[in-house]
Amino acid sequence: PYNFIGMVDNFELERVQKMVLDSKANFTIWFGHYPTSTILTPPHTDNIRKFIGRFDSSLTYFAGHLHTMGRLVNRMYALHPEGFLELELGDFLRTRRFRIAAIDHGMLSINDLSLYTFPFAIITNPKDMLFNNPFKEDIELQKRSTHIRILAFSTAEIIVCKVAIDNEEWVECSKKSENFFAVPWDPNHYGKGKHEIKLFIEDADGRVYEHLQYFALDGTTISFDFL
């Protein structure tokens, strides 16, 4: 049978709590099959969101199950008042979706992609403002950063990596390691409001990846879609 509700008991909550406390990790990424909206906890205990939010290290919760609601909601994301992001991912079986995630100086970035997409990349600084988490991240770090930072991947060598902000000229990024690219920038030029950063990647097989995301260094926010 296809169950829409998940349940956890006190034993499981205690076991998971011990794992988190024993890890002494700076950050905890939670994985679960069910989204938090469909998880029941025992009576007289915190609901699952309050339970996750109890730990200062809780950065995000990755879930499946509902996936894209039959492709009606392709980006099922939320920032909960308990202080963590919840980010559903489309199913691999039907939509061949997968996720890359990175923590850069305590700031989480993600990019949800389709399998066999090569090359692909993620801009970790400045990060996508949609996923800014003022509860857990020091967003001010972006204002004090010296470089735009990118992680890029392909089955062939990446030969071009360049970025452009707003309507400015494209700037070539330097390859710092096999998958890490960077280019100096002056964040003081983008101190107010929302800005866009465009990314262009090309590999030795002539395949191209283009990406656009928005960032803000002054706390400006954008909301997730209603659904």
Side-chain angles (χ1 to χ4, degrees):
Y2 191 78
N3 298 318
F4 285 95
I5 300 294
M7 292 183 287
V8 293
D9 57 25
N10 284 314
F11 173 78
E12 189 167 9
L13 291 175
E14 291 171 2
R15 183 174 65 89
V16 172
Q17 176 172 285
K18 185 177 186 304
M19 291 170 60
V20 175
L21 295 177
D22 287 349
S23 76
K24 296 181 174 58
N26 291 330
F27 309 105
T28 300
I29 296 178
W30 297 74
F31 291 85
H33 175 78
Y34 291 93
T36 59
S37 58
T38 64
I39 297 176
L40 299 180
T41 54
H44 313 299
T45 63
D46 287 340
N47 64 43
I48 197 66
R49 288 180 185 166
K50 289 183 178 179
F51 175 78
I52 294 173
R54 182 191 305 170
F55 307 100
D56 291 338
S57 65
S58 295
L59 197 58
T60 185
Y61 178 81
F62 291 162
H65 192 60
L66 297 179
H67 298 300
T68 58
M69 294 286 287
R71 303 191 183 187
L72 295 175
V73 188
N74 288 318
R75 288 154 54 93
M76 203 178 301
Y77 305 146
L79 176 60
H80 295 307
E82 290 79 9
F84 65 94
L85 287 159
E86 180 167 354
L87 305 171
E88 188 103 359
L89 179 62
D91 66 293
F92 189 78
L93 176 65
R94 294 180 178 83
T95 65
R96 287 295 189 260
R97 300 293 284 174
F98 73 98
R99 169 174 294 159
I100 55 172
I103 297 174
D104 183 342
H105 291 74
M107 294 180 292
L108 174 75
S109 295
I110 73 157
N111 194 0
D112 290 346
L113 300 147
S114 296
L115 190 65
Y116 310 123
T117 298
F118 290 107
F120 58 85
I122 183 170
I123 305 170
T124 65
N125 187 76
K127 66 171 286 184
D128 189 332
M129 65 186 294
L130 184 65
F131 303 111
N132 279 344
N133 182 352
F135 299 109
K136 297 292 173 69
E137 298 175 338
D138 183 2
I139 306 302
E140 293 286 314
L141 287 175
Q142 298 175 88
K143 292 169 60 174
R144 303 193 294 271
S145 64
T146 59
H147 288 72
I148 296 169
R149 298 188 289 271
I150 297 152
L151 293 173
F153 307 87
S154 187
T155 54
E157 181 185 3
I158 294 171
I159 58 174
V160 177
C161 177
K162 59 183 180 179
V163 295
I165 298 178
D166 296 333
N167 295 317
E168 298 173 1
E169 297 293 323
W170 289 94
V171 179
E172 292 281 346
C173 302
S174 299
K175 188 173 185 177
K176 303 299 183 180
S177 65
E178 183 178 1
N179 301 112
F180 178 45
F181 295 80
V183 62
W185 79 322
D186 185 352
N188 293 317
H189 293 163
Y190 317 103
K192 294 184 179 180
K194 182 175 77 169
H195 301 270
E196 69 174 33
I197 181 169
K198 298 185 288 288
L199 171 67
F200 179 92
I201 301 283
E202 183 178 356
D203 68 16
D205 289 341
R207 295 172 298 186
V208 166
Y209 173 77
E210 297 178 89
H211 179 70
L212 181 148
Q213 70 186 40
Y214 296 97
F215 69 93
L217 307 180
D218 62 352
T220 298
T221 60
I222 54 177
S223 300
F224 293 105
D225 293 338
F226 173 74
L227 290 178

